[in-house]
Amino acid sequence: EPTTLKLLRGNPGKRPLNKGEPKLAATVLRPPAHLDAVAKTEWRRVAKMLAESVKTTVLDRAVLTCYCEWWSQLVRLSTELRKVGPIIVSKTTKQPYMSPWLAGMAMASKQVERFAGELGMSPSSRSRIDVGGPGDAGDELDDFNKEPKRGRVG
């Protein structure tokens, strides 16, 4: 859950807040020329939001490119799957089997999820981003100063 949302709710879990979430200058990235139309459309849809929310930089271009490429594959596979259905019946053995388009969609979905997480495009991934600078690490004895956990020892 993003830190700002935790603060708005009064931090009901009383867990430590991530004070090092990104606070960088926004950079709206331009799509690479080699992307297909579906990937470029997705790039345009998310690039401005990413620049405003997680503060993308030119270093994020490759990750955003991979996300958009996999998104395009997912859209294409989904279109093909709608044509044939998730189950196919073999013409020779009459046995049903899973469509290869469905297997491809599962793989593409995992990749989209992976790269979306890298870009902070989910609430949980955004809350884990920490861009604290030098001197933000705290004292080595900070862990000893915290209240000890209650319960069984050992």
Side-chain angles (χ1 to χ4, degrees):
E1 192 170 271
T3 300
T4 51
L5 189 55
K6 286 180 187 177
L7 288 171
L8 287 172
R9 293 180 179 166
N11 194 15
K14 305 298 182 213
R15 293 194 174 120
L17 300 174
N18 180 358
K19 295 176 183 166
E21 284 191 67
K23 292 175 181 73
L24 306 173
T27 302
V28 178
L29 302 170
R30 297 182 65 186
H34 73 274
L35 292 179
D36 66 20
V38 172
K40 283 183 182 177
T41 299
E42 181 66 1
W43 182 293
R44 289 184 195 101
R45 187 184 76 81
V46 300
K48 186 174 180 191
M49 290 183 287
L50 286 172
E52 293 170 359
S53 61
V54 296
K55 314 300 182 201
T56 51
T57 70
V58 292
L59 297 174
D60 301 312
R61 186 173 190 257
V63 175
L64 183 55
T65 300
C66 290
Y67 164 79
C68 291
E69 290 275 15
W70 278 108
W71 174 259
S72 177
Q73 291 298 318
L74 183 61
V75 170
R76 269 192 245 131
L77 289 162
S78 178
T79 302
E80 291 300 321
L81 185 64
R82 271 189 243 112
K83 291 178 187 174
V84 298
I87 303 289
I88 296 174
V89 177
S90 168
K91 291 179 181 178
T92 56
T93 64
K94 306 295 184 214
Q95 294 293 320
Y97 63 94
M98 184 175 74
S99 167
W101 300 111
L102 188 60
M105 273 188 64
M107 183 177 69
S109 294
K110 287 273 189 203
Q111 293 300 321
V112 166
E113 179 183 2
R114 177 178 159 232
F115 286 109
E118 288 289 321
L119 292 164
M121 291 170 59
S122 72
S124 61
S125 66
R126 285 190 299 276
S127 70
R128 290 189 300 265
I129 298 171
D130 185 350
V131 293
D136 290 346
D139 187 36
E140 290 180 22
L141 297 177
D142 281 348
D143 289 336
F144 291 105
N145 295 328
K146 292 180 184 172
E147 185 179 332
K149 292 181 181 177
R150 308 249 183 244
R152 216 171 59 157
V153 177

